[in-house]
């Protein structure tokens, strides 16, 4: 009875010793179908590999057995180097170079293991190196120059964190496409700072078709996480506790690439062109390796043509270009909703106007019998709008007019439209603005396949662009007015010197001038003929055009009317002053052109580039909006952007 505690203590000590030694956790030998491709004669070519075979044990090609849908098929196996068509084999060493690899000689063990892998792998295999810490690097793309790889591996340095998930996704891209693609992953810790998640990585590994052999170095490595990724690729995970185990694991991965055979299968005519399970079985020593894959069997080869059947080529794949909510099932619903919405708006506008006109027509008919003539009422003339004279256009304008009247927008929009010289009413402008605001996002919705970012961008542009157009037209009209003002004053002064009255001089400007000067003076002349004082009519021009220079002209005319004097000489002096000011103003604009251009570039480039990245390369912009440091950087950048634009605008703005 006393010996039992001693035996228990001894067993516990032995287990602890084994844990400290850290033996590698080797997996059982298994087989895997790497790729199945059709052959021109209607058969299949299968690349089969064996993993975790003991040293000195190889696949016996003569032992091959293949069944298709449970029916035995004729098959021949041979080494990869003897395949009828050359098979490209690629391997990528994905090595953790984070700061923790500097401890306990882990980096030296990884370098030694990589060199052992390169020395063991066949010479025709392309081998590359990918390292990961805070960044992902590919110091060596896959190549058959194994001597150069040894020098690169010997120069690896370790520092930073561990972006494990991002490294696996990058390894899939580096391996590309091919029959035999193997990634040998070595890491000593958990993921730290990757943009990708574990489910995304597992899904990408399963879809890529690569073979993943993972080595967990030390107790800090997450073996369960590596097992999920390796299982998705039908690979294995080896837990290594010391340098010798790491080297042995890499050599074992190299043997997996070495233990590959090509199996040529003759498809039974009864199964040709069907989908079925293909099972391949080979022996290696005393172990039987078996794997099954589901595939579409090739159709029988044509006896009249040696061309490869069309279905053997690349098959078209439908790419998802829109967001997850916009699918083939929801897209018709979106269009139906848009159609119903537009139809509802048109129906409300048309029915509302029709009812109003119908009520008015009935009242006129009833009252017509009480008139002196007893005639039927004459139908009123159709009101012409900028959108046409149709019933729908008039109804829409009337509805927009009610909205404008309720929101007190008539005066504001009227002044802006008059200043811009647009012959539109406030209601008509509102309809055009709303139409553009709806048409632009709808057009981008159709062109982008439902990209919500472009749709929102289109909505913002549709709401802003009409106002920008209105402001540009207003600025251009004001600039043209100021450019014509000195010549107009000179024409007024000449007319007054010839003996004309001031109203006659204004009429001369209307007849011989150019727009917008003629339009504004004609309005002032009409107002003066209706009883408005000339000075007040001219003040209206200055208010509509927002011109300080013309306010000075009106002030000079008002003073001359009250005090007396030679108005012709006053206008000539004012015209000369305005010409001098305009000359100085143009010189200032020329000298400040570079600064203004810099302000536009500095102000527009960051948001435009951010919009481009957000739309087409969101993964580049994602860290800025998903991490605290990124949000701080965005905040600081916005503040600096605004400060820079304000400072430049103040520097280049010179009052003349």
């Amino acid at each position: 009875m006393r010996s039992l505690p001693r035996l228990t203590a001894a067993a516990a000590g032995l287990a602890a010793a084994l844990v400290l030694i850290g033996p590698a956790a080797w997996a059982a030998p298994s087989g895997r179908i790497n790729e199945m491709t059709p052959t021109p004669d209607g058969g299949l070519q299968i690349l089969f590999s064996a993993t975790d075979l003991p040293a000195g044990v190889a696949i016996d090609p003569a032992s091959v057995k293949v069944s298709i849908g449970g029916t035995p098929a004729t098959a021949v196996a041979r080494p990869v180097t003897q395949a009828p068509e050359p098979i490209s084999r690629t391997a990528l060493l994905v090595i953790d170079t984070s700061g923790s690899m500097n401890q306990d000689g882990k980096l030296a063990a990884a370098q030694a293991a990589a060199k052992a892998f390169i020395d063991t792998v066949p010479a025709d295999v392309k081998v590359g190196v990918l390292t990961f810490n805070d960044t992902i690097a590919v110091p060596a793309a896959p190549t058959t120059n194994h001597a150069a790889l040894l020098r690169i591996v010997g120069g690896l340095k370790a520092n930073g964190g561990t972006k494990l998930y991002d490294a696996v996704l990058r390894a899939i891209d580096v391996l590309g496409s091919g029959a035999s693609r193997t990634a040998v992953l070595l890491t000593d810790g958990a993921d730290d700072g990757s943009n990708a998640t574990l489910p995304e990585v597992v899904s990408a590994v399963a879809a890529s078709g690569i073979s993943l052999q993972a080595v967990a170095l030390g107790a800090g490595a997450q073996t369960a996480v590596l097992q999920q990724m390796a299982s998705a690729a039908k690979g294995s995970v080896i837990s290594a506790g010391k340098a010798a185990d790491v080297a042995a694991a890499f050599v074992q991965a190299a043997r997996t690439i070495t233990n590959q055979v090509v199996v040529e299968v003759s498809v039974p005519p009864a199964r040709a062109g069907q989908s079925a399970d293909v099972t391949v079985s080979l022996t290696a020593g005393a172990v039987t390796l078996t794997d099954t894959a589901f595939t579409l069997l090739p159709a029988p080869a044509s006896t009249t043509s040696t061309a490869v059947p069309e279905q053997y080529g690349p098959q078209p794949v439908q790419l998802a270009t829109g967001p997850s909510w916009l699918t083939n099932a929801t897209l018709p619903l979106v269009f139906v909703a848009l159609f119903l919405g537009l139809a509802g708006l048109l129906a409300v506008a048309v029915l509302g106007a029709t009812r109003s006109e119908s009520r008015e027509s009935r009242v006129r008919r009833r009252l017509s019998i009480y008139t002196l003539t007893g005639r039927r009422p004459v139908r009123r003339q159709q009101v012409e709008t900028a959108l046409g004279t149709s019933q729908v256009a008039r109804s829409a304008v009337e509805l927009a007019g009610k909205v404008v009247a309720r929101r007190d927008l008539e005066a504001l929009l009227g002044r802006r439209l008059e200043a811009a010289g647009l012959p539109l009413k406030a209601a008509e402008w509102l309809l055009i603005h709303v139409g553009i605001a709806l048409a632009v996002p709808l057009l981008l919705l159709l062109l982008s396949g439902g990209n919500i970012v472009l749709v929102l961008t289109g909505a913002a542009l549709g709401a802003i662009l009409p106002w920008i157009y209105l402001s540009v037209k207003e600025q251009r009209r004001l600039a043209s007015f100021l450019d014509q003002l000195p010549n107009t004053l000179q024409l007024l002064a000449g007319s007054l010197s010839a003996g004309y009255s001031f109203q006659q001089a204004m009429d001369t400007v209307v007849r011989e001038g150019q727009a917008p000067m003629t339009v504004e003076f004609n309005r002032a002349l009409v107002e003066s003929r209706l009883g408005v004082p000339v000075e007040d009519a001219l003040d209206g021009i200055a208010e509509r055009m927002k011109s300080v220079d013309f306010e000075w002209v009106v002030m000079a005319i008002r003073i001359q009317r009250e005090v007396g004097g030679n108005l012709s000489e006053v206008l000539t002096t004012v015209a000369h002053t305005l010409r001098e000011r305009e000359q100085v103003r143009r010189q200032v604009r020329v000298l400040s052109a570079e600064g203004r251009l810099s302000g536009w570039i500095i102000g527009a480039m960051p948001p435009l580039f951010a919009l481009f990245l957000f739309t087409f390369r969101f993964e580049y912009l994602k860290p800025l909006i998903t991490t605290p440091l990124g949000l701080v950087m965005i905040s600081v950048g916005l503040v600096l952007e605004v400060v820079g634009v304000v400072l430049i605008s103040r520097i280049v703005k010179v009052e003349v």
Side-chain angles (χ1 to χ4, degrees):
M1 296 296 292
R2 293 181 180 179
S3 61
L4 182 59
R6 295 179 181 178
L7 292 175
T8 304
L14 179 59
L18 291 176
V19 172
L20 291 175
I21 294 174
W26 303 103
S30 61
R32 180 190 180 191
I33 296 176
N34 295 88
E35 188 178 59
M36 291 189 294
T37 57
T39 58
D41 58 355
L44 281 177
Q45 179 175 283
I46 303 174
L47 180 64
F48 187 90
S49 61
T51 60
D52 302 314
L53 287 179
V57 178
I59 296 176
D60 181 13
S63 63
V64 63
K65 293 180 181 179
V66 177
S67 63
I68 299 178
T71 303
T74 304
V76 177
R78 62 187 69 187
V80 175
T81 55
Q82 300 178 11
E85 295 292 335
I87 294 180
S88 174
R89 296 190 289 177
T90 307
L92 185 65
L93 302 179
V94 185
I95 301 176
D96 185 354
T97 56
S98 59
S100 59
M101 291 291 290
N102 287 322
Q103 303 173 2
D104 302 328
K106 294 179 181 179
L107 181 60
Q111 291 172 322
K115 292 178 181 179
F117 177 92
I118 296 171
D119 292 335
T120 307
V121 79
D124 65 306
V125 178
K126 295 180 180 180
V127 182
V129 178
L130 183 146
T131 61
F132 63 97
N133 41 51
D134 286 334
T135 58
I136 313 299
V138 184
T143 177
T144 55
N145 187 359
H146 295 178
L149 291 175
L150 294 175
R151 293 191 297 269
I152 293 174
V153 169
L156 296 180
K157 304 295 181 183
N159 56 63
T162 308
K163 289 191 175 182
L164 173 60
Y165 300 155
D166 291 347
V168 176
L169 293 181
R170 181 65 183 281
I172 294 174
D173 294 335
V174 174
L175 286 171
S177 60
S180 175
R181 293 168 296 149
T182 303
V184 183
L185 171 63
L186 170 67
T187 182
D188 72 329
D191 179 84
D192 179 22
S194 288
N195 294 325
T197 60
L198 180 59
E200 293 175 354
V201 174
V202 172
S203 177
V205 170
S208 65
I210 68 170
S211 176
L212 178 63
Q213 307 294 330
V215 180
L217 179 58
Q222 289 187 334
T223 307
V225 172
L226 297 178
Q227 186 62 51
Q228 292 187 48
M229 293 188 288
S231 298
K234 294 185 179 181
S236 60
V237 177
I238 298 175
S239 179
K242 52 186 178 180
D245 295 332
V246 178
F250 272 61
V251 170
Q252 185 71 13
R255 291 197 190 114
T256 299
I257 301 176
T258 305
N259 290 320
Q260 290 180 330
V261 294
V262 175
V263 181
E264 298 175 25
V265 184
S266 298
V267 178
R271 288 286 187 177
Q274 301 179 4
S275 298
D277 287 326
V278 178
T279 302
V280 179
S281 176
L282 293 110
T283 60
V287 180
T288 300
L289 309 174
T290 304
D291 192 18
T292 301
F294 185 79
T295 186
L296 174 63
L297 301 175
S302 175
T303 58
T304 59
S305 175
T306 58
V308 178
E310 212 172 59
Q311 64 268 25
Y312 293 167
Q315 300 299 315
V317 178
Q318 184 178 3
L319 298 178
T321 57
S324 57
W325 59 270
L326 191 64
T327 61
N328 292 333
T330 60
L331 187 60
L333 298 178
V334 173
F335 286 113
V336 169
L338 291 175
F339 175 77
L340 292 178
L342 294 176
L345 290 176
L346 292 176
V348 170
V350 173
L351 292 178
T354 304
R355 291 178 179 177
S356 176
E357 187 173 357
S358 300
R359 287 194 299 269
E360 185 178 356
S361 300
R362 288 196 299 269
V363 172
R364 286 184 179 184
R365 285 197 301 270
R366 292 178 180 178
L367 293 178
S368 62
I369 60 177
Y370 300 105
T371 60
L372 295 176
T373 60
R375 297 176 181 176
R376 290 187 177 184
V378 180
R379 187 176 182 179
R380 64 179 182 179
Q381 187 178 3
Q382 290 184 350
V383 179
E384 184 176 358
T385 66
L387 304 179
T389 58
S390 63
Q391 179 67 29
V392 176
R394 289 188 289 111
S395 301
V397 172
E398 291 179 4
L399 181 62
K402 296 178 181 179
V403 175
V404 170
R406 291 178 181 177
R407 300 294 181 181
D408 295 333
L409 298 176
E410 182 73 33
L412 175 62
L413 291 177
R415 286 195 299 268
R416 294 292 303 275
L417 294 173
E418 287 180 354
L422 296 178
L424 295 174
K425 298 179 182 179
E428 296 170 347
W429 169 260
L430 181 62
L431 280 178
I432 295 174
H433 195 159
V434 172
I436 295 175
L438 293 177
V440 173
L442 179 60
L443 179 62
L444 291 179
L445 174 66
L446 298 177
L447 294 179
S448 65
N451 191 321
I452 189 64
V453 177
L454 289 181
V455 173
L456 294 179
T457 304
L461 291 177
I464 297 175
L465 286 179
W467 285 113
I468 296 178
Y469 172 77
L470 191 62
S471 300
V472 170
K473 291 284 291 184
E474 186 177 355
Q475 293 298 326
R476 288 183 177 179
R477 192 165 186 266
L478 176 59
S480 179
F481 180 85
L482 295 178
D483 185 59
Q484 298 173 11
L485 185 56
N487 294 333
T488 301
L489 296 180
Q490 194 68 44
L491 182 60
L492 286 174
S495 300
L496 293 175
S497 299
Y500 288 1
S501 65
F502 192 76
Q503 284 82 358
Q504 291 174 332
M506 291 174 60
D507 185 65
T508 303
V509 172
V510 173
R511 287 185 287 104
E512 300 183 5
Q514 297 178 351
M517 189 65 68
T518 56
V519 176
E520 295 298 331
F521 265 78
N522 182 56
R523 180 171 178 175
L525 185 61
V526 171
E527 290 177 354
S528 66
R529 290 173 180 173
L530 294 176
V532 178
V534 176
E535 296 83 354
D536 294 342
L538 294 177
D539 275 333
I541 297 178
E543 182 181 357
R544 288 191 297 272
M545 302 306 298
K546 300 178 183 179
S547 173
V548 179
D549 294 344
F550 199 77
E551 288 181 359
W552 293 353
V553 174
V554 177
M555 186 181 301
I557 295 174
R558 192 184 298 275
I559 293 174
Q560 189 274 338
R561 287 294 183 94
E562 294 178 358
V563 178
N566 192 340
L567 183 57
S568 176
E569 293 182 359
V570 172
L571 294 179
T572 302
T573 303
V574 173
H576 177 72
T577 303
L578 292 180
R579 285 194 180 95
E580 295 294 330
R581 292 183 71 248
E582 183 63 22
Q583 182 179 1
V584 175
R585 185 183 293 113
R586 291 182 177 181
Q587 290 179 350
V588 170
R589 286 185 61 83
V590 171
L591 296 176
S592 62
E594 183 179 358
R596 288 184 286 108
L597 181 60
S598 301
W600 278 106
I601 294 175
I602 293 175
M605 182 176 291
L608 292 179
F609 189 64
L611 179 62
F612 170 79
L613 291 179
F614 189 83
T615 305
F616 300 101
R617 291 292 184 270
F618 180 69
E619 63 273 12
Y620 293 165
L621 203 64
K622 186 178 179 181
L624 285 178
I625 59 178
T626 57
T627 61
L629 179 60
L631 295 176
V632 173
M633 293 175 65
I634 288 180
S635 302
V636 174
L638 288 176
V639 172
L640 295 178
E641 173 79 8
V642 173
V643 171
V645 171
V646 171
L647 290 179
I648 291 179
S649 64
R650 296 297 182 185
I651 292 173
V652 300
K653 186 177 181 180
V654 180
E655 296 290 343
V656 179

